[in-house]
């Protein structure tokens, strides 16, 4: 039945917004960062200058240590887009030492706040201080003696500008043994931040500052005219990836009403429309269970015993047939499905057989899960050692796998930053709890379709019908089909209650 042209158009609202009410959700679930800790400040060459003191003693201050880089998983964050835009994170350099024994101020630290469920993996590392320490351990005594007698490295020492060259030609420059003040995580870094952290964790510690000239006072040189430079900061390239995108993920065909349902349950301003693929990237919404006004709507707790005051929902772009073959929006958004703790299949009751729609969505998810299993097996086989009974083969290193940088004293070999890390080992999709949200239940002629859907889900739960994924180790629990009208906001109050029951299991 066509609407009468004389009927007034529906008034704009949060569920029926105008285009100026749309908001693009900034979202990123994977990024690569280059973290550079702060370099140390240089030591100072200074002497006491007072009345009646012709040649005062050395009183140069030490340089300040460089800033550290910390990471902390917090509840409030839901995406990595803030860090993905930065790409390069640098801590502040320590200040240089000053006269009168004043030490330099240490560099300012950097704190990276990431969502709970972030996995941090190291890609490459360049630590000049650690490489120099290994180089000194490998040097023999003769080499150390040659460095002490009349030779110095310009990248390590600061010389007094008014001193004559003969002073440094006979000066004895001692070998400096310094270590990083804060304990550094062992390489390679691999962190699974699955719980909120009360205190930050150190990722890259700042370099040590240089020493002032009072450290080198001796009988031979009571007024040393040299000091040391601060160590350069280390650089670590890490990859951040969300293991858990959201508590609930909306899975459905295009134009099934997922974005409207998200707006009905939260304050999200996701774009909605009557055409397919209005959502081109996941939209994250938050359902508040306790707004701290009166009694909470639901009483729930997390696995750690912490009271649950909210849960997050991810509106995942629509899936089409053969999505596991990279059609439509492709594999990139199937990857988001396995990062949801609970799956909510959003089915349009007015768009054909609802049972076939559920089976079609599960077929794509099962094909994607099988594809991931094959990729995991191939990666495992590639990491196996090729053993030969007769003869031995020395491991070969490609020039593309190492980067050689020469800086006076020798060569520093660093792993290439272009290496590919293996995919994260996540929970299979078929083992996740799931239920069905039947949208557009207010349309005429949808009661019979809903009845068939409910009968099918009861048969799957009882074991009379096979699991729609076809997998053996699938989730077996109580299934439900919740009829809603998202555009009117009717029936959506049952979804949080059912979701909390699945999250608490």
């Amino acid at each position: 039945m066509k609407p009468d042209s004389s009927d007034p158009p529906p008034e704009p609202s949060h569920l029926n917004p105008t285009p100026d009410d749309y908001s693009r959700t900034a979202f990123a679930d994977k990024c690569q960062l280059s973290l550079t800790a702060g370099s140390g400040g240089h030591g100072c060459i200074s002497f006491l200058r007072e009345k009646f003191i012709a040649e005062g003693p050395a009183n140069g201050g030490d340089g300040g240590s460089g800033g550290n880089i910390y990471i902390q998983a917090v509840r409030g964050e839901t995406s990595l887009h803030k860090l993905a835009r930065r790409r390069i994170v640098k801590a502040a350099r320590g200040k240089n030492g000053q006269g009168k024994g004043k030490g330099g101020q240490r560099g300012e630290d950097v704190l990276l706040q990431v969502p709970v469920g972030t996995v941090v993996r190291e890609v490459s590392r360049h630590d000049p201080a650690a490489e120099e320490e290994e180089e000194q351990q490998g040097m023999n005594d003769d080499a150390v003696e040659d460095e002490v007698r009349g030779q110095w490295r310009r990248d390590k020492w600061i010389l007094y500008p008014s001193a004559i060259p003969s002073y440094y030609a006979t000066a004895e420059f001692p070998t400096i043994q310094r270590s990083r003040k804060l304990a550094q995580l062992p390489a390679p870094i691999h962190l699974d931040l699955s719980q909120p952290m009360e205190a930050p964790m150190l990722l890259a510690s700042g370099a040590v500052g240089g020493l002032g000239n009072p450290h080198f006072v001796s009988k031979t040189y009571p007024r040393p005219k040299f000091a040391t430079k601060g160590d350069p900061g280390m650089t670590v390239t890490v990859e951040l990836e969300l293991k858990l995108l959201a508590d609930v993920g909306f899975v459905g065909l295009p134009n099934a009403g997922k974005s409207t349902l998200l707006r009905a349950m939260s304050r999200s301003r996701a774009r909605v429309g009557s055409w397919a693929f209005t959502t081109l990237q996941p939209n994250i919404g938050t359902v508040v269970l306790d707004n701290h006004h009166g009694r909470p709507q639901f009483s729930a707790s997390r696995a750690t015993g912490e009271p649950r005051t909210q849960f997050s929902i991810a509106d995942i772009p629509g899936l089409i047939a053969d999505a596991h073959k990279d059609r439509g929006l492709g594999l990139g958004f199937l990857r988001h499905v396995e990062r949801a703790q609970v799956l909510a299949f959003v089915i349009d009751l007015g768009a054909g057989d609802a049972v076939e729609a559920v089976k079609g969505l599960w077929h794509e998810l099962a094909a994607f899960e099988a594809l991931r299993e094959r990729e995991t097996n191939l990666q495992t086989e590639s990491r196996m050692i090729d053993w030969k009974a007769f003869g031995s083969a020395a491991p070969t290193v490609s020039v593309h796998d190492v980067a050689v940088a020469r800086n006076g004293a020798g060569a520093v070999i660093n792993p290439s930053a272009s290496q590919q890390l293996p995919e994260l080992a996540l929970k299979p999709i078929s083992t996740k709890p799931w239920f069905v949200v039947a949208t557009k239940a207010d349309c005429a002629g949808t009661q019979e379709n809903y009845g068939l859907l409910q009968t099918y889900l009861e048969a799957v739960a009882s074991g009379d019908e096979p699991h729609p994924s076809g997998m053996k180790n699938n989730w077996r629990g109580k299934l439900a089909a919740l009829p809603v009208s998202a555009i009117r906001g009717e029936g959506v109050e049952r979804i949080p209650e059912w979701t909390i029951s699945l999250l608490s299991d």
Side-chain angles (χ1 to χ4, degrees), residues 315-340:
D315 172 23
I316 301 172
L319 304 179
I320 64 173
D322 294 335
H324 68 280
K325 298 180 181 179
D326 211 9
R327 294 183 180 178
L329 295 180
L331 298 175
F333 294 99
L334 278 170
R335 186 169 54 88
H336 298 316
V337 178
E338 62 180 352
R339 282 165 168 74

Side-chain angles (χ1 to χ4, degrees), residues 3 48 72 77-78 94 107 112 161 189 210 217 232 260 274 288 308 352 426 438:
L48 179 65
Q72 184 179 18
E77 297 292 335
T78 58
L112 306 178
I189 298 175
V217 174
T260 305
S274 58
V288 179
R308 183 185 290 273
L426 301 176

Side-chain angles (χ1 to χ4, degrees), residues 9 24 33 61 69 87 134 142-143 145 167 245 275 309 361 455 459:
R24 179 182 177 273
L33 296 178
I69 298 180
R87 294 189 295 177
E134 294 179 358
D142 295 337
E145 184 70 18
Y167 175 84
L245 175 64
W275 61 90
T309 59
L361 291 173
T455 303

Side-chain angles (χ1 to χ4, degrees), residues 160-502:
Y160 198 58
S162 62
I164 58 177
S166 60
Y167 175 84
Y168 301 109
T170 58
E172 296 183 2
F173 290 87
T175 302
I176 305 172
Q177 299 291 341
R178 288 181 291 176
S179 60
R180 190 168 277 105
K181 292 184 178 180
L182 295 179
Q184 179 67 32
L185 288 176
I189 298 175
H190 190 289
L191 304 176
D192 188 355
L193 308 180
S194 57
Q195 298 295 336
M197 302 167 59
E198 297 182 358
M201 179 181 294
L202 179 67
L203 274 185
S205 61
V208 178
L211 302 178
N213 59 337
H215 290 273
F216 309 105
V217 174
S218 63
K219 294 182 179 180
T220 308
Y221 300 99
R223 303 178 74 246
K225 298 180 180 180
F226 45 83
T228 61
K229 295 183 178 180
D231 292 342
M234 65 179 302
T235 300
V236 181
T237 302
V238 296
E239 183 180 88
L240 307 182
E241 189 170 0
L242 284 182
K243 184 177 66 174
L244 182 62
L245 175 64
D247 296 320
V248 183
F250 284 164
V251 183
L253 298 172
N255 202 23
K258 300 184 294 298
S259 300
T260 305
L261 182 61
L262 181 66
R263 294 180 72 108
M265 297 182 62
S266 65
R267 293 186 178 182
S268 173
R269 297 172 59 190
R271 184 176 66 167
V272 297
S274 58
W275 61 90
F277 297 111
T278 54
T279 302
L280 299 179
Q281 62 180 3
N283 295 315
I284 307 298
T286 302
V287 178
V288 179
L289 303 177
D290 186 4
N291 56 5
H292 304 287
H293 293 287
R295 293 185 177 181
Q297 185 179 1
F298 300 103
S299 177
S301 60
R302 302 182 185 270
T304 57
E306 179 185 0
R308 183 185 290 273
T309 59
Q310 61 186 20
F311 67 89
S312 56
I313 302 177
D315 172 23
I316 301 172
L319 304 179
I320 64 173
D322 294 335
H324 68 280
K325 298 180 181 179
D326 211 9
R327 294 183 180 178
L329 295 180
L331 298 175
F333 294 99
L334 278 170
R335 186 169 54 88
H336 298 316
V337 178
E338 62 180 352
R339 282 165 168 74
Q341 190 171 351
V342 176
L343 302 181
F345 289 83
V346 182
I347 304 299
D348 183 3
L349 293 178
D353 191 350
V355 176
E356 293 299 324
V358 173
K359 291 182 178 180
L361 291 173
W362 264 116
H363 172 72
E364 296 301 326
L365 297 181
F368 175 71
E369 182 178 336
L371 179 63
R372 290 297 300 271
E373 289 181 358
R374 289 195 297 269
E375 291 178 354
T376 303
N377 294 336
L378 290 176
Q379 291 175 359
T380 303
E381 293 176 358
S382 64
R383 290 194 296 266
M384 295 178 63
I385 299 175
D386 187 11
W387 180 81
K388 295 182 179 181
F390 301 97
S392 61
T396 59
V397 181
S398 173
V399 294
H400 300 287
D401 296 335
V402 295
V404 180
R406 300 187 179 274
N407 54 355
V412 180
I413 301 179
N414 304 321
S416 173
S418 61
Q419 61 177 326
Q420 295 294 329
L421 295 178
E423 293 288 340
L424 291 178
L426 301 176
K427 185 179 180 181
I429 299 178
S430 59
T431 60
K432 295 179 181 292
W434 63 284
F435 64 100
V436 176
V437 179
T439 60
K440 305 180 184 179
D442 57 332
C443 297
T446 58
Q447 290 80 4
E448 182 180 358
N449 197 8
Y450 173 72
L452 295 176
L453 175 62
Q454 195 171 21
T455 303
Y456 171 73
L457 294 180
E458 292 176 356
V460 172
S462 62
D464 297 335
E465 287 282 345
H467 194 274
S469 66
M471 298 292 182
K472 294 182 179 179
N473 299 325
N474 52 67
W475 180 76
R476 291 290 181 179
K478 186 178 180 181
L479 297 176
L482 308 179
V484 300
S485 175
I487 192 66
R488 299 188 180 190
E490 298 176 354
V492 297
E493 65 277 357
R494 295 181 57 192
I495 299 179
E497 182 179 1
W498 191 267
T499 302
I500 289 300
S501 64
L502 295 179

